[in-house]
Amino acid sequence: MKLPGVGEFSWRDVATEARLLLIGIPVFLWTMIPIYHMFLFAISPKEDAFSGKLWPDHPTLHNFEIVFKQQHYFLRDFYAQFWNSLVIAAAVGVLTLVIATAAAFSISRLRVPGGRVVMNLALFTYFIPAAFLAVPMYRTMGNYGLLNNHWALILAMVTIASPYAIWVLKQASDKLPVELDEAAVMDGATTPQIFRLVYLPLMMPSLVAIGTYAVLLAWNEYLYAFLLLSNDRDITLPVALGNFLAADDSPWELLMTTGFIYALPPAAIYYAFRRYMVGGLTAGAVKS
Amino acid sequence: MAITLSASDVPSAPLSPRLTPAQVWGIVLLAPYLLVFLAFVVYPVCYGLWLARAPANYVALYNDPIFARAAVNTLIFLVIGINIKMLIALFLSGFFAQQRTWIKWLSVIFILPWAMPSIPTILSVRFMLNPEWGMVNHIIFNLTGADGPNWLNDPTVALTMAIAVHIWKSLPFWTLILITGRLAIPQDLFEASEVDGASWWQKFRYITWPSMQTLYITCTLLSMIWTLGDFNSVYLLTGGGPADLTHVLSTLGIRYLRLDQLSLAMASIVCAMPFVLPLVYFMMKRLSR
């Protein structure tokens, strides 16, 4: 294919560009409108938000001030809830990484007996629709006495994140040459040494992708959080946002402002680690 | 892969009286996941099945009009919604595979719905569709002078909107996967067809589609399984309403759970199993090859 040179003008290129724009503009609008609408509410005083204007007459950061100063009944526990979301997401990220890395190393590098069976069990879990597992999981957490405890949500999210994590990490492990391990054994390395000194450094990019995946999964989770936690000070931000809805006169501009604040970290994390995520995650999602 | 299979599946290995130190480490390192799996997958699933065992549950479900409606809605969601979504993803994967700077930038923005949490974005859509104060009806009024529809009050329209929200949220992920598949097609095939004067349809029909067919079908099936577990799109947009007419199986299960009818909740999920299990079996066969 020939690239059009500078200054070269052809009607064919213009027509192609126009056709692409005809797709590109609707795609842009489709993607951005709900996000823009959320942002619009966040910077609008209440009157403007409800007037359906595309840009407020008096844009303001007042809503953010109300949220950050917890000046509304619904926002009393904003910082506690933000902190809960943060701690739970971090714990899920760390635990998933530890459990999945150990399992992937064991299955792929140590060829542990029965490893393949465990891999298939993990895959099976990966395919259980999340909302279907939620019903018995809720009752199980009750039986374990973990309801309304952060551990319930952490363990539930680790259960959901691990299978995919093991799957992706095992795929990546299989690509590392066996000779590395053999050479290390020749040099007298023990298994923990191989794990720490050979395996972990080589797996870093995949570990970053999986850690990010688990953190985002836990941070964004609504259903399990809403089932497993209930006290105002124990819930995570998405559950608090869901509770706004229960009121008849929900302060929508504050709901959208809080939602906007809550949506920023995942978007930022995603863009920071995009390089790792796209390669690592799409490769694991569907092997063609 | 075949070598791995025979190495780990030799039946004598677990029976050998002495394990090597590496194998002992292997078992120790595998144990945490096994524990999680036993405690939070095996036990809940078995317990749930046990709760749902009484035939009376299924009679009750059969007689509950909300269940029948939810089953139909789920089918509409899966058959119509998923296919529309995957066709758009297939189409857009061709658009995003074009080498242009502005399209690269657009693809960076296009990912946002996938990266952002459901709750604020879906609630944002919910407010946009509010008949009195929502942005959509304001725009309709300004353009036509007439009142827009009450979007979430008619079950058919509300379900359509829930499907639209689902597509909004998950389209980026599938488009990304299909772009990966498209970029794997050797470029010289297209160049050769260009020389022969093939139309874009012929290029799609004879080059693109044959190389992407398997990936496309796998993605569609996987998306079906996951969509069954999509609680947010329906719950956050319509809450199952109006009059419980937009429930799908995942929101229905949670509805029974909230009404303290755990056996019914489990039974409604068990009803989906004849549909889910063949899909899961097929996917596992494909992925664990």
Side-chain angles (χ1 to χ4, degrees):
Chain A
M1 279 221 297
K2 195 165 75 76
L3 290 169
V6 183
E8 214 174 302
F9 182 88
S10 99
W11 283 109
R12 225 190 116 170
D13 293 338
V14 174
T16 316
E17 204 69 24
R19 267 205 300 271
L20 287 173
L21 276 171
L22 218 57
I23 305 166
I25 293 167
V27 167
F28 176 76
L29 292 176
W30 166 260
T31 306
M32 283 310 288
I33 283 177
I35 298 168
Y36 174 73
H37 182 258
M38 179 164 72
F39 171 72
L40 183 69
F41 260 58
I43 59 158
S44 297
K46 196 176 185 113
E47 317 82 68
D48 282 3
F50 283 76
S51 69
K53 292 205 171 71
L54 296 179
W55 183 253
D57 293 336
H58 310 285
T60 169
L61 293 177
H62 186 58
N63 291 328
F64 287 91
E65 197 185 320
I66 299 177
V67 174
F68 286 130
K69 289 188 176 165
Q70 308 193 108
Q71 283 168 343
H72 189 280
Y73 174 77
F74 281 108
L75 296 161
R76 260 182 338 189
D77 298 310
F78 173 75
Y79 286 104
Q81 291 156 352
F82 196 94
W83 177 247
N84 293 338
S85 279
L86 210 64
V87 170
I88 289 170
V92 171
V94 171
L95 266 178
T96 304
L97 267 182
V98 170
I99 290 175
T101 313
F105 179 72
S106 168
I107 296 168
S108 167
R109 310 305 292 181
L110 301 176
R111 307 273 168 82
V112 65
R116 208 185 152 75
V117 176
V118 175
M119 190 70 237
N120 283 332
L121 293 176
L123 260 183
F124 177 75
T125 315
Y126 180 47
F127 291 134
I128 300 179
F132 286 10
L133 189 60
V135 173
M137 183 87 90
Y138 168 76
R139 197 43 197 273
T140 303
M141 291 299 178
N143 289 355
Y144 291 154
L146 287 174
L147 278 186
N148 300 326
N149 182 322
H150 286 172
W151 279 108
L153 184 55
I154 293 171
L155 289 168
M157 295 323 291
V158 168
T159 307
I160 292 171
S162 298
Y164 182 60
I166 295 177
W167 169 247
V168 171
L169 293 179
K170 191 206 168 254
Q171 301 288 337
S173 302
D174 286 347
K175 289 196 190 107
L176 302 179
V178 198
E179 290 77 16
L180 286 177
D181 293 10
E182 285 166 358
V185 171
M186 287 296 219
D187 291 342
T190 61
T191 307
Q193 282 172 329
I194 295 176
F195 181 69
R196 206 158 41 88
L197 302 172
V198 180
Y199 184 74
L200 282 186
L202 289 171
M203 289 291 286
M204 256 323 146
S206 306
L207 296 180
V208 172
I210 285 302
T212 315
Y213 156 78
V215 166
L216 289 188
L217 190 78
W219 178 268
N220 291 351
E221 178 59 27
Y222 176 67
L223 171 62
Y224 282 81
F226 137 89
L227 285 178
L228 299 173
L229 304 175
S230 53
N231 301 325
D232 276 349
R233 290 196 65 83
D234 295 334
I235 56 179
T236 55
L237 262 185
V239 186
L241 288 174
N243 289 348
F244 266 76
L245 284 177
D248 289 332
D249 54 343
S250 300
W252 276 87
E253 71 289 357
L254 297 180
L255 171 62
M256 289 289 111
T257 310
T258 316
F260 187 72
I261 296 166
Y262 163 69
L264 282 180
I269 291 174
Y270 173 78
Y271 284 119
F273 295 109
R274 202 164 69 95
R275 213 156 50 85
Y276 299 100
M277 300 262 310
V278 173
L281 299 186
T282 55
V286 175
K287 197 170 69 168
S288 52
Chain B
M1 285 302 272
I3 299 164
T4 323
L5 196 152
S6 56
S8 58
D9 277 10
V10 173
S12 66
L15 298 174
S16 68
R18 235 169 272 209
L19 292 168
T20 64
Q23 282 176 324
V24 173
W25 272 111
I27 293 165
V28 170
L29 291 174
L30 204 54
Y33 179 67
L34 267 181
L35 282 180
V36 166
F37 180 75
L38 287 175
F40 300 107
V41 180
V42 176
Y43 173 71
V45 167
C46 293
Y47 185 67
L49 291 176
W50 184 75
L51 283 171
R53 74 197 180 284
N57 290 320
Y58 300 92
V59 176
L61 276 186
Y62 183 76
N63 290 325
D64 187 345
I66 298 175
F67 173 76
R69 184 70 191 226
V72 173
N73 288 344
T74 309
L75 267 180
I76 294 173
F77 221 103
L78 292 184
V79 175
I80 301 177
I82 301 303
N83 280 303
I84 291 176
K85 174 175 78 177
M86 295 311 294
L87 283 173
I88 299 175
L90 181 64
F91 176 75
L92 286 184
S93 70
F95 168 74
F96 281 114
Q98 305 281 327
Q99 303 294 321
R100 271 180 179 68
T101 319
W102 69 269
I103 292 184
K104 277 223 169 66
W105 280 107
L106 184 58
S107 75
V108 171
I109 294 169
F110 180 64
I111 294 299
L112 270 172
W114 182 47
M116 285 182 131
S118 299
I119 190 159
T121 47
I122 296 180
L123 292 182
S124 173
V125 175
R126 180 165 167 160
F127 199 89
M128 276 165 57
L129 296 175
N130 182 297
E132 288 165 66
W133 301 300
M135 187 196 252
V136 175
N137 278 6
H138 270 285
I139 293 173
I140 291 178
F141 184 81
N142 288 339
L143 290 180
T144 67
D147 286 337
N150 191 343
W151 297 91
L152 301 177
N153 224 10
D154 174 324
T156 318
V157 181
L159 189 69
T160 311
M161 291 298 118
I163 292 175
V165 161
H166 169 84
I167 294 178
W168 183 81
K169 174 88 185 134
S170 56
L171 186 65
F173 177 76
W174 296 112
T175 308
L176 209 65
I177 304 262
L178 294 179
I179 293 174
T180 320
R182 231 178 234 268
L183 294 179
I185 306 171
Q187 274 302 307
D188 43 347
L189 288 178
F190 291 107
E191 280 161 28
S193 71
E194 197 104 345
V195 174
D196 295 340
S199 68
W200 73 267
W201 171 250
Q202 285 169 325
K203 280 188 253 179
F204 176 79
R205 175 71 188 79
Y206 296 107
I207 305 171
T208 314
W209 178 247
S211 13
M212 291 183 68
Q213 195 181 14
T214 328
L215 177 68
Y216 182 81
I217 292 169
T218 312
C219 287
T220 306
L221 296 178
L222 194 55
S223 172
M224 279 190 173
I225 304 179
W226 284 342
T227 305
L228 278 168
D230 178 18
F231 169 82
N232 294 337
S233 301
V234 170
Y235 182 79
L236 295 175
L237 192 72
T238 73
D244 284 320
L245 290 172
T246 58
H247 275 293
V248 287
L249 286 178
S250 56
T251 58
L252 186 74
I254 306 298
R255 176 181 172 271
Y256 286 131
L257 186 70
R258 303 293 278 183
L259 294 171
D260 248 332
Q261 294 173 308
L262 194 64
S263 325
L264 278 190
M266 267 321 292
S268 67
I269 288 167
V270 170
C271 286
M273 285 305 127
F275 180 74
V276 178
L277 289 177
L279 278 180
V280 170
Y281 176 75
F282 178 79
M283 291 306 304
M284 285 184 62
K285 262 186 86 165
R286 259 191 68 70
L287 285 183
S288 64
R289 255 190 334 209

Short mmCIF file of all heavy atoms in Angstrom, two decimals, chain B residues 213-247:
data_model
loop_
_atom_site.label_atom_id
_atom_site.label_comp_id
_atom_site.label_asym_id
_atom_site.label_seq_id
_atom_site.Cartn_x
_atom_site.Cartn_y
_atom_site.Cartn_z
N GLN B 213 -13.04 -16.44 11.85
CA GLN B 213 -14.27 -17.14 12.17
C GLN B 213 -14.24 -17.84 13.54
O GLN B 213 -15.11 -17.64 14.37
CB GLN B 213 -14.51 -18.18 11.07
CG GLN B 213 -15.90 -18.74 11.04
CD GLN B 213 -16.01 -19.77 9.94
OE1 GLN B 213 -15.00 -20.23 9.40
NE2 GLN B 213 -17.22 -20.14 9.59
N THR B 214 -13.18 -18.63 13.77
CA THR B 214 -13.10 -19.39 15.02
C THR B 214 -13.04 -18.45 16.22
O THR B 214 -13.76 -18.64 17.21
CB THR B 214 -11.83 -20.27 15.03
OG1 THR B 214 -11.57 -20.66 13.70
CG2 THR B 214 -12.01 -21.45 15.91
N LEU B 215 -12.18 -17.43 16.11
CA LEU B 215 -12.05 -16.47 17.20
C LEU B 215 -13.40 -15.80 17.47
O LEU B 215 -13.83 -15.65 18.61
CB LEU B 215 -11.00 -15.41 16.84
CG LEU B 215 -10.80 -14.29 17.84
CD1 LEU B 215 -10.18 -14.82 19.12
CD2 LEU B 215 -9.94 -13.18 17.27
N TYR B 216 -14.09 -15.43 16.40
CA TYR B 216 -15.37 -14.72 16.53
C TYR B 216 -16.39 -15.60 17.26
O TYR B 216 -17.07 -15.13 18.16
CB TYR B 216 -15.88 -14.33 15.15
CG TYR B 216 -17.17 -13.56 15.19
CD1 TYR B 216 -17.18 -12.20 15.45
CD2 TYR B 216 -18.39 -14.20 14.98
CE1 TYR B 216 -18.36 -11.49 15.50
CE2 TYR B 216 -19.58 -13.51 15.02
CZ TYR B 216 -19.57 -12.15 15.28
OH TYR B 216 -20.74 -11.46 15.34
N ILE B 217 -16.45 -16.86 16.87
CA ILE B 217 -17.44 -17.75 17.50
C ILE B 217 -17.08 -17.98 18.97
O ILE B 217 -17.95 -17.92 19.84
CB ILE B 217 -17.54 -19.08 16.71
CG1 ILE B 217 -18.16 -18.78 15.34
CG2 ILE B 217 -18.36 -20.11 17.47
CD1 ILE B 217 -18.08 -19.92 14.36
N THR B 218 -15.79 -18.20 19.25
CA THR B 218 -15.37 -18.36 20.65
C THR B 218 -15.76 -17.14 21.48
O THR B 218 -16.30 -17.26 22.58
CB THR B 218 -13.85 -18.56 20.74
OG1 THR B 218 -13.47 -19.53 19.79
CG2 THR B 218 -13.45 -19.01 22.12
N CYS B 219 -15.47 -15.96 20.94
CA CYS B 219 -15.79 -14.73 21.66
C CYS B 219 -17.29 -14.63 21.91
O CYS B 219 -17.72 -14.23 22.99
CB CYS B 219 -15.34 -13.50 20.86
SG CYS B 219 -13.57 -13.28 20.86
N THR B 220 -18.08 -14.97 20.92
CA THR B 220 -19.53 -14.87 21.07
C THR B 220 -20.01 -15.80 22.20
O THR B 220 -20.80 -15.39 23.06
CB THR B 220 -20.24 -15.26 19.76
OG1 THR B 220 -19.71 -14.44 18.72
CG2 THR B 220 -21.73 -15.04 19.85
N LEU B 221 -19.50 -17.03 22.22
CA LEU B 221 -19.93 -17.97 23.26
C LEU B 221 -19.47 -17.51 24.65
O LEU B 221 -20.22 -17.54 25.61
CB LEU B 221 -19.40 -19.37 22.95
CG LEU B 221 -19.94 -19.99 21.67
CD1 LEU B 221 -19.32 -21.35 21.43
CD2 LEU B 221 -21.46 -20.11 21.75
N LEU B 222 -18.21 -17.05 24.72
CA LEU B 222 -17.69 -16.59 26.00
C LEU B 222 -18.50 -15.39 26.49
O LEU B 222 -18.85 -15.29 27.67
CB LEU B 222 -16.21 -16.20 25.83
CG LEU B 222 -15.39 -16.00 27.10
CD1 LEU B 222 -15.48 -17.22 27.99
CD2 LEU B 222 -13.94 -15.71 26.76
N SER B 223 -18.82 -14.51 25.57
CA SER B 223 -19.61 -13.34 25.93
C SER B 223 -20.99 -13.75 26.43
O SER B 223 -21.53 -13.14 27.35
CB SER B 223 -19.73 -12.42 24.72
OG SER B 223 -20.63 -11.39 25.00
N MET B 224 -21.54 -14.82 25.86
CA MET B 224 -22.85 -15.31 26.34
C MET B 224 -22.75 -15.75 27.79
O MET B 224 -23.60 -15.41 28.61
CB MET B 224 -23.31 -16.49 25.48
CG MET B 224 -23.93 -16.07 24.18
SD MET B 224 -24.67 -17.51 23.41
CE MET B 224 -25.50 -16.70 22.04
N ILE B 225 -21.72 -16.54 28.10
CA ILE B 225 -21.59 -17.02 29.48
C ILE B 225 -21.47 -15.84 30.44
O ILE B 225 -22.13 -15.78 31.47
CB ILE B 225 -20.35 -17.93 29.64
CG1 ILE B 225 -20.41 -19.09 28.66
CG2 ILE B 225 -20.26 -18.47 31.04
CD1 ILE B 225 -19.21 -20.00 28.75
N TRP B 226 -20.61 -14.88 30.08
CA TRP B 226 -20.39 -13.76 30.99
C TRP B 226 -21.61 -12.86 31.09
O TRP B 226 -21.88 -12.28 32.14
CB TRP B 226 -19.17 -12.95 30.53
CG TRP B 226 -17.90 -13.64 30.88
CD1 TRP B 226 -17.75 -14.65 31.79
CD2 TRP B 226 -16.61 -13.41 30.32
NE1 TRP B 226 -16.44 -15.05 31.83
CE2 TRP B 226 -15.72 -14.30 30.95
CE3 TRP B 226 -16.13 -12.53 29.36
CZ2 TRP B 226 -14.36 -14.35 30.65
CZ3 TRP B 226 -14.79 -12.57 29.06
CH2 TRP B 226 -13.90 -13.46 29.69
N THR B 227 -22.34 -12.73 29.97
CA THR B 227 -23.51 -11.87 30.01
C THR B 227 -24.57 -12.44 30.95
O THR B 227 -25.30 -11.70 31.59
CB THR B 227 -24.08 -11.70 28.59
OG1 THR B 227 -23.03 -11.21 27.77
CG2 THR B 227 -25.23 -10.73 28.57
N LEU B 228 -24.62 -13.77 31.05
CA LEU B 228 -25.53 -14.38 32.02
C LEU B 228 -25.22 -13.89 33.43
O LEU B 228 -26.10 -13.82 34.28
CB LEU B 228 -25.40 -15.90 31.97
CG LEU B 228 -26.18 -16.61 30.88
CD1 LEU B 228 -25.73 -18.05 30.78
CD2 LEU B 228 -27.67 -16.54 31.17
N GLY B 229 -23.97 -13.57 33.69
CA GLY B 229 -23.56 -13.09 35.01
C GLY B 229 -23.59 -11.59 35.14
O GLY B 229 -23.20 -11.04 36.16
N ASP B 230 -24.05 -10.90 34.09
CA ASP B 230 -24.08 -9.43 34.14
C ASP B 230 -25.31 -8.97 34.90
O ASP B 230 -26.43 -8.99 34.40
CB ASP B 230 -24.08 -8.86 32.71
CG ASP B 230 -24.15 -7.33 32.73
OD1 ASP B 230 -23.87 -6.74 33.79
OD2 ASP B 230 -24.50 -6.75 31.70
N PHE B 231 -25.08 -8.54 36.12
CA PHE B 231 -26.15 -8.10 37.00
C PHE B 231 -26.36 -6.59 36.84
O PHE B 231 -27.47 -6.08 36.84
CB PHE B 231 -25.71 -8.44 38.43
CG PHE B 231 -26.53 -7.85 39.52
CD1 PHE B 231 -27.71 -8.46 39.90
CD2 PHE B 231 -26.11 -6.71 40.18
CE1 PHE B 231 -28.47 -7.93 40.92
CE2 PHE B 231 -26.86 -6.18 41.21
CZ PHE B 231 -28.05 -6.78 41.58
N ASN B 232 -25.24 -5.88 36.68
CA ASN B 232 -25.27 -4.41 36.74
C ASN B 232 -26.14 -3.75 35.68
O ASN B 232 -26.89 -2.84 35.99
CB ASN B 232 -23.85 -3.86 36.62
CG ASN B 232 -23.01 -4.25 37.83
OD1 ASN B 232 -23.55 -4.54 38.89
ND2 ASN B 232 -21.70 -4.28 37.66
N SER B 233 -26.01 -4.20 34.41
CA SER B 233 -26.69 -3.49 33.32
C SER B 233 -28.19 -3.37 33.59
O SER B 233 -28.78 -2.31 33.40
CB SER B 233 -26.49 -4.19 31.99
OG SER B 233 -25.13 -4.27 31.70
N VAL B 234 -28.80 -4.47 34.02
CA VAL B 234 -30.24 -4.43 34.25
C VAL B 234 -30.55 -3.81 35.61
O VAL B 234 -31.37 -2.90 35.71
CB VAL B 234 -30.85 -5.85 34.15
CG1 VAL B 234 -32.29 -5.85 34.61
CG2 VAL B 234 -30.75 -6.34 32.72
N TYR B 235 -29.86 -4.26 36.64
CA TYR B 235 -30.21 -3.81 37.99
C TYR B 235 -30.04 -2.30 38.15
O TYR B 235 -30.90 -1.62 38.70
CB TYR B 235 -29.38 -4.55 39.04
CG TYR B 235 -29.75 -4.17 40.44
CD1 TYR B 235 -30.88 -4.71 41.05
CD2 TYR B 235 -28.99 -3.24 41.15
CE1 TYR B 235 -31.24 -4.35 42.34
CE2 TYR B 235 -29.34 -2.86 42.44
CZ TYR B 235 -30.47 -3.43 43.02
OH TYR B 235 -30.82 -3.06 44.29
N LEU B 236 -28.91 -1.77 37.68
CA LEU B 236 -28.65 -0.35 37.91
C LEU B 236 -29.48 0.54 37.00
O LEU B 236 -29.77 1.68 37.32
CB LEU B 236 -27.16 -0.05 37.73
CG LEU B 236 -26.24 -0.71 38.75
CD1 LEU B 236 -24.79 -0.45 38.42
CD2 LEU B 236 -26.56 -0.23 40.16
N LEU B 237 -29.90 0.02 35.84
CA LEU B 237 -30.68 0.85 34.93
C LEU B 237 -32.17 0.80 35.26
O LEU B 237 -32.82 1.84 35.37
CB LEU B 237 -30.45 0.44 33.48
CG LEU B 237 -31.00 1.46 32.48
CD1 LEU B 237 -30.13 2.71 32.47
CD2 LEU B 237 -31.11 0.88 31.09
N THR B 238 -32.72 -0.41 35.42
CA THR B 238 -34.17 -0.51 35.60
C THR B 238 -34.55 -1.09 36.96
O THR B 238 -35.71 -1.03 37.35
CB THR B 238 -34.79 -1.44 34.53
OG1 THR B 238 -34.43 -2.78 34.84
CG2 THR B 238 -34.30 -1.10 33.15
N GLY B 239 -33.60 -1.71 37.66
CA GLY B 239 -33.92 -2.37 38.91
C GLY B 239 -34.85 -3.55 38.70
O GLY B 239 -35.49 -4.03 39.64
N GLY B 240 -34.97 -4.01 37.44
CA GLY B 240 -35.88 -5.12 37.15
C GLY B 240 -37.27 -4.63 36.74
O GLY B 240 -38.07 -5.37 36.22
N GLY B 241 -37.53 -3.34 36.99
CA GLY B 241 -38.85 -2.78 36.71
C GLY B 241 -38.98 -2.34 35.27
O GLY B 241 -38.04 -2.47 34.50
N PRO B 242 -40.08 -1.81 34.84
CA PRO B 242 -41.31 -1.61 35.62
C PRO B 242 -42.03 -2.93 35.91
O PRO B 242 -42.03 -3.82 35.07
CB PRO B 242 -42.16 -0.74 34.69
CG PRO B 242 -41.67 -1.09 33.32
CD PRO B 242 -40.20 -1.37 33.47
N ALA B 243 -42.61 -3.01 37.10
CA ALA B 243 -43.42 -4.16 37.51
C ALA B 243 -42.69 -5.49 37.31
O ALA B 243 -43.30 -6.47 36.89
CB ALA B 243 -44.76 -4.18 36.77
N ASP B 244 -41.38 -5.51 37.61
CA ASP B 244 -40.58 -6.74 37.53
C ASP B 244 -40.57 -7.37 36.13
O ASP B 244 -40.39 -8.56 35.98
CB ASP B 244 -41.10 -7.79 38.54
CG ASP B 244 -40.66 -7.44 39.95
OD1 ASP B 244 -39.50 -7.01 40.11
OD2 ASP B 244 -41.48 -7.58 40.88
N LEU B 245 -40.76 -6.54 35.10
CA LEU B 245 -40.87 -7.09 33.75
C LEU B 245 -39.55 -7.09 32.99
O LEU B 245 -39.48 -7.64 31.89
CB LEU B 245 -41.92 -6.32 32.95
CG LEU B 245 -43.37 -6.56 33.44
CD1 LEU B 245 -44.34 -5.63 32.74
CD2 LEU B 245 -43.77 -8.01 33.23
N THR B 246 -38.50 -6.48 33.53
CA THR B 246 -37.23 -6.48 32.81
C THR B 246 -36.16 -7.32 33.50
O THR B 246 -34.98 -7.19 33.19
CB THR B 246 -36.68 -5.05 32.60
OG1 THR B 246 -36.52 -4.45 33.88
CG2 THR B 246 -37.60 -4.23 31.74
N HIS B 247 -36.57 -8.16 34.45
CA HIS B 247 -35.57 -9.02 35.10
C HIS B 247 -34.92 -9.95 34.09
O HIS B 247 -35.54 -10.37 33.12
CB HIS B 247 -36.23 -9.86 36.20
CG HIS B 247 -36.32 -9.14 37.50
ND1 HIS B 247 -35.22 -8.81 38.24
CD2 HIS B 247 -37.39 -8.67 38.20
CE1 HIS B 247 -35.60 -8.18 39.34
NE2 HIS B 247 -36.92 -8.07 39.33
#
